[in-house]
Amino acid sequence: MQSLILKSGRERSLINRHPWVFSGAVKNMPEAENGEIIKVFSNHNELLGYGFFSPHSQITCRVFEFTSVHITIDENFWKDKIKRAFELRKLIIDSSQTNIYRLLHAEGDFLPGVIIDVYSTVAVVQILIRGTENIKEFIFDALREIGIKFIYVKTKSNTQRLEEVTTPSSWVGEPHVMPIEAKENGIKFLVDVEKGQKTGFFIDQRENRKILGAFSRGKKILNTFSYSGGFSLYALANGAELVHSVDSSKYAIEMCDKNVEDNFINSNHQSFVEDVFEYLQKTEVDYDIMVLDPPAFAKSSKAVANAARGYKNLNLIALKKIKPGGLIFTFSCSQHIDRDLFRKIVFGAAADAKRNVRILRQFTQPDDHPINIFHPEGEYLKGLLLYIE
Ligand code: SAH
């Protein structure tokens, strides 16, 4: 096994169990292939841990095990990681109500480079680096051992290009017919893992949708960036007077309509394939509650300034429009916009809207998207519940 040696004074973050070794911290590059497992040493020749080598990435090595003693990394080592992640989910997920959950959250479950989402009997494995591609068969075996019947691999084209991941998006073994029928807090959702965004569903809003539900009785609700209707369904299930879902994707709105039909015989739901900014500008409905859950505007740290303008603009329009006594559920899932910055952006929008705004709650990601305390970058979803006078 090849070794990577850190520059003098650059071992602190690894001693603190941060899993990323940046290229600038490396003194000796190993002569290993992309994806190979390597040992990471300090400049004083102390073993710090084992990780996946990514020579073309700014993150040269992603550490999956911190240890000062040499260990054996075999099939059981990987299976054990998946099984430990599953044990935690058993503690968190009430399987009688919910069979949509994140089984493995990359660094949040001490296995960088892979995400696994479960929809009923199906697992979707998102392979993000060559290192986890090399161990995929062990991951699949572990999934079968915990009772998963169908496995779909999802790889993004930019991952294939940048990280040289070669596995295409495809079923491992027998395919499951699309869409999958699954449930979240007792509400039925159709999930298409082949055509859907992310792995098919935005699992990370589960708890926040429940909170919207608790405020919904008798209310007129606008769910913007609705995708397949996650928030809308909770509003309808909890007695909303009217729910409007807006998304620019025709496919998303079709899924949303199907989800509404599957759960309710009659409903006060209407959907719109439209740009949210345009819809918000022109609507004359006096909504009591608005949900703003846009896609990540900042996909990289370079995009933060533009993204901040996008979030501000969106929140400003909504803050101007909402009726007195109304609520806004506003979110950002950009990892590069942290909680403090997001709050400052919303503050700027509230000041420009010239209205009294109070924060009632602060939102985050659910328990099945755990944040490794040593890897704060894993915290990406943030949101505020605003009360507007
Ligand atoms: N709230 C959703 C997830 C939102 S994901 C849920 O709980 O499931 C973001 C969605 O925004 C995607 O469905 C995407 O199609 C949509 N979208 C992106 N830009 C948009 C725009 N300008 N106007 C309307 N919808 C947009």
Side-chain angles (χ1 to χ4, degrees):
M1 192 180 288
Q2 301 268 338
S3 301
L4 178 155
I5 301 167
L6 293 171
K7 285 180 186 160
S8 166
R10 298 300 290 267
E11 61 279 352
R12 178 44 54 198
S13 80
L14 272 101
I15 291 169
N16 283 343
R17 293 179 171 245
H18 191 288
W20 294 348
V21 177
F22 288 97
S23 55
V26 179
K27 182 172 131 192
N28 270 31
M29 271 288 183
E31 285 179 21
E33 299 281 320
N34 183 15
E36 255 183 63
I37 295 169
I38 56 172
K39 289 180 188 176
V40 180
F41 285 91
S42 75
N43 194 41
H44 316 292
N45 215 21
E46 298 147 325
L47 177 63
L48 299 171
Y50 291 75
F52 296 121
F53 185 48
S54 287
H56 316 306
S57 167
Q58 272 199 25
I59 305 170
T60 305
C61 179
R62 291 172 172 82
V63 176
F64 53 74
E65 196 69 25
F66 291 92
T67 172
S68 56
V69 295
H70 297 264
I71 55 165
T72 311
I73 299 169
D74 56 9
E75 176 171 351
N76 285 330
F77 175 86
W78 301 115
K79 286 186 171 174
D80 190 50
K81 286 215 184 244
I82 311 271
K83 287 183 181 160
R84 271 161 30 209
F86 185 54
E87 286 305 310
L88 174 59
R89 280 25 179 217
K90 283 200 276 189
L91 191 73
I92 293 166
I93 304 293
D94 171 4
S95 59
S96 71
Q97 297 301 308
T98 299
N99 59 17
I100 298 179
Y101 62 91
R102 177 152 293 185
L103 169 60
L104 190 118
H105 187 50
E107 283 86 352
D109 286 289
F110 313 113
L111 186 44
V114 62
I115 283 169
I116 307 175
D117 288 341
V118 172
Y119 301 103
S120 182
T121 55
V122 180
V124 183
V125 180
Q126 237 188 326
I127 296 177
L128 306 170
I129 54 171
R130 190 65 177 269
T132 48
E133 180 170 41
N134 289 344
I135 58 158
K136 67 181 183 182
E137 293 302 330
F138 305 135
I139 295 177
F140 302 156
D141 281 346
L143 290 173
R144 291 182 195 110
E145 283 169 26
I146 62 168
I148 293 294
K149 300 276 187 294
F150 302 89
I151 299 170
Y152 186 71
V153 172
K154 198 143 190 175
T155 36
K156 295 189 215 149
S157 56
N158 65 344
T159 310
Q160 291 174 1
R161 202 178 61 246
L162 299 173
E163 299 288 343
E164 299 171 333
V165 171
T166 56
T167 312
S169 290
S170 53
W171 291 94
V172 179
E174 204 189 323
H176 188 290
V177 284
M178 284 299 109
I180 302 159
E181 288 176 26
K183 63 185 175 186
E184 186 187 88
N185 289 319
I187 299 176
K188 289 183 279 181
F189 283 99
L190 295 172
V191 179
D192 188 329
V193 301
E194 295 173 5
K195 284 199 236 115
Q197 297 182 36
K198 277 180 112 183
T199 62
F201 194 65
F202 291 81
I203 302 177
D204 52 8
Q205 289 287 19
R206 181 177 57 241
E207 298 309 315
N208 305 330
R209 290 180 187 126
K210 214 168 159 177
I211 296 169
L212 173 73
F215 284 95
S216 293
R217 187 153 302 281
K219 297 291 193 290
K220 292 183 195 159
I221 299 174
L222 173 63
N223 180 18
T224 67
F225 307 95
S226 65
Y227 188 55
S228 59
F231 283 98
S232 305
L233 272 282
Y234 280 69
L236 292 165
N238 288 283
E241 183 190 320
L242 161 164
V243 178
H244 288 167
S245 304
V246 182
D247 199 288
S248 54
S249 151
K250 184 160 170 275
Y251 164 81
I253 291 294
E254 278 167 12
M255 290 296 274
C256 176
D257 289 342
K258 275 193 208 147
N259 283 330
V260 173
E261 281 164 30
D262 263 14
N263 283 279
F264 312 103
I265 301 160
N266 291 309
S267 77
N268 312 318
H269 178 257
Q270 227 182 319
S271 58
F272 304 86
V273 179
E274 228 178 299
D275 178 77
V276 164
F277 292 87
E278 286 170 20
Y279 182 92
L280 274 172
Q281 290 287 8
K282 70 162 200 246
T283 182
E284 287 174 2
V285 182
D286 56 336
Y287 295 111
D288 300 291
I289 302 179
M290 293 183 185
V291 179
L292 313 175
D293 184 26
F297 287 158
K299 296 255 198 274
S300 69
S301 50
K302 287 188 201 111
V304 166
N306 271 335
R309 273 190 286 279
Y311 287 116
K312 179 168 177 200
N313 191 17
L314 174 66
N315 281 278
L316 177 58
I317 307 173
L319 282 161
K320 279 183 175 165
K321 280 263 162 156
I322 192 96
K323 76 176 190 204
L327 295 171
I328 296 180
F329 287 68
T330 182
F331 298 96
S332 163
C333 60
S334 299
Q335 191 212 90
H336 301 281
I337 301 227
D338 67 20
R339 193 168 284 285
D340 286 349
L341 176 57
F342 183 61
R343 189 159 153 178
K344 285 188 184 114
I345 294 167
V346 177
F347 161 91
D352 285 5
K354 297 188 168 45
R355 296 184 69 176
N356 270 342
V357 176
R358 277 179 272 178
I359 297 171
L360 304 189
R361 288 191 193 210
Q362 311 207 31
F363 302 118
T364 182
Q365 61 213 53
D367 307 359
D368 54 342
H369 292 58
I371 302 156
N372 174 343
I373 199 162
F374 308 111
H375 180 252
E377 294 87 343
E379 179 177 7
Y380 67 98
L381 183 64
K382 70 239 39 134
L384 298 168
L385 173 55
L386 306 175
Y387 177 76
I388 300 95
E389 287 184 355

